[in-house]
Amino acid sequence: MVSLLKKPFSSSLQTLTLQRLTRTLSYVSGERRSFEKVSSETKSSYIHPTAIVHSNAVIDQDVTIGPFCTVGSMVKIGKACKLHPGSHIFGDTELGEQCTLMTGAIVGEDIPGRTTIGCNNIIGHHAVVGVKCQDMKYKPGSDCFLDVGDNNEIREYTSIHRSSKPSDRTVIGDNNLIMGSCHIAHDCKLGNNIILANNTLLAGHVVVGDYAHSAGAVVVHQFCHLGSHSFIGGGSVVSQDVPKYMMVTGDRADLRGLNLEGLRRRGFSSEEITGMRRAYQKIFMPVDGKLGGIEDRLAEVEQTRELAMLDVVRSMVESIRDSFEQDRRGICKFKHWSGSCSSS
C-alpha cells in the first residue's frame, strides 16, 4: 500500500521539478540576451553568465560582476567596480568608481528616489544600503534619498536607510569606518573620518561630526548631535547631545571629560588641549561656588582673554550653546570622573 502511494507522488515531484527547471532555464536564457547586449558595450568588463544584468543598466569599463548577482534597469556602475557573488543593486542607484560589493550586499531599492554611492567604497557581506526607511511617517511613493561619499568601509550586516521625505536625505561623508551590524536610520548626517564600532545604532535625524568615535553597542536617540572629535563609551545610551571634543559613557550617557587621547592623536597642540581643559573646568567644574546657569559659565569662558583667543575653545563653547537652541535636546549631564579633566 505504501509503495503504491509513493510511486505517483515521486512521479509528480519529478514532473514539478522538471517544469521549474525548464522555466528557470528559459528565464536565464532571456536574461542572457540582455547580458550579451550589456557586455558588448563594456568589452573590458566581465559579467558572469549566471548574473542577471538588465540591458538598460550602464556598466563602465573594467567592472567585474560575479555569479548570481542582480543589476537593475536604472543602475549605473562606475569604472573598476567589483560585485562579488550574490550581491545586488536595485532602483535608481549610482555606484562610483572602484567600489566593491561583498557577497550578499544589497544596494538600492525599487522605490522612488535615488541612492548615490561615491568612489572607492567597500560594502560588506549582507549589508543593506539605500533601502526604504522604517519611519512610520514615510508616505509610500514619496522620493527618498541616500548620498554616500568616498573611501568608506561599511562592514557586514550594516543597514543604512534612505530619507523619510523628499525634502531631506541621509548623508554619509568620506573616509568613514562603519563596523559590523551598525544601523544608520533615515535622515542621519555623518561627516568625515568617523568610526562607528560594532552594533552602534543611530536613530533618525542623528548628526555625527567629523572624527567622532563610538565604541561598541552604542544606542543614540533620534535628533541627537555627536560633536566632532567626541568619543562615546561602549554600551552607552545617548539621549542628549555630546558637545565637540568630549567623552561620554553610561546609561544614560554622562559627560566624563575631554576626549584627550583622541585630541592628541588628531594632532591638537598642547596649548589647545590645555585651553580646552581650562574651559571645561570653568563650565562644568567651577570652584568659586558661584555656579550660575550654563549661559553664565559659557560667557565667563568667552570673557577670559587667553581662552577666547583659541579657535578650539570658541568652537567648544558654540557647540554647547547650540545644543540649547529650540528643537535641540540639550547636552548630556556632567558627572565628575577623577582625573578626566585635571589641570596640566
Side-chain angles (χ1 to χ4, degrees), residues 53-111:
V53 180
H54 197 280
S55 59
N56 291 337
V58 178
I59 312 295
D60 209 330
Q61 296 180 349
D62 301 319
V63 171
T64 301
I65 300 178
F68 307 109
C69 293
T70 308
V71 178
S73 62
M74 295 185 289
V75 171
K76 295 181 179 179
I77 300 179
K79 184 177 180 181
C81 287
K82 185 173 184 179
L83 277 62
H84 284 258
S87 56
H88 311 279
I89 310 178
F90 301 111
D92 187 356
T93 299
E94 182 172 355
L95 207 62
E97 295 182 359
Q98 296 182 317
C99 288
T100 300
L101 270 61
M102 304 304 292
T103 295
I106 298 175
V107 178
E109 185 174 359
D110 288 318
I111 56 175

Side-chain angles (χ1 to χ4, degrees), residues 112-159:
R114 183 174 174 83
T115 298
T116 304
I117 310 293
C119 299
N120 197 37
N121 292 291
I122 299 173
I123 300 179
H125 298 83
H126 303 282
V128 179
V129 176
V131 298
K132 186 179 76 171
C133 69
Q134 298 174 150
D135 188 349
M136 297 298 291
K137 297 187 294 296
Y138 172 74
K139 297 179 180 179
S142 297
D143 287 343
C144 49
F145 302 95
L146 167 66
D147 292 339
V148 177
D150 302 330
N151 306 311
N152 296 288
E153 185 170 3
I154 300 168
R155 293 298 299 267
E156 60 276 3
Y157 295 102
T158 289
S159 57

Side-chain angles (χ1 to χ4, degrees), residues 220-274:
V220 183
H221 192 283
Q222 60 190 22
F223 293 101
C224 284
H225 288 228
L226 309 182
S228 300
H229 300 278
S230 62
F231 180 83
I232 319 299
S236 295
V237 178
V238 181
S239 58
Q240 292 179 288
D241 289 0
V242 180
K244 287 182 177 180
Y245 315 121
M246 297 188 189
M247 177 171 57
V248 301
T249 191
D251 178 11
R252 298 305 196 250
D254 298 310
L255 291 173
R256 299 298 181 96
L258 296 172
N259 178 21
L260 296 176
E261 186 59 34
L263 295 174
R264 294 188 185 106
R265 290 179 180 180
R266 294 312 315 159
F268 285 80
S269 69
S270 58
E271 180 186 11
E272 290 173 319
I273 292 174
T274 299

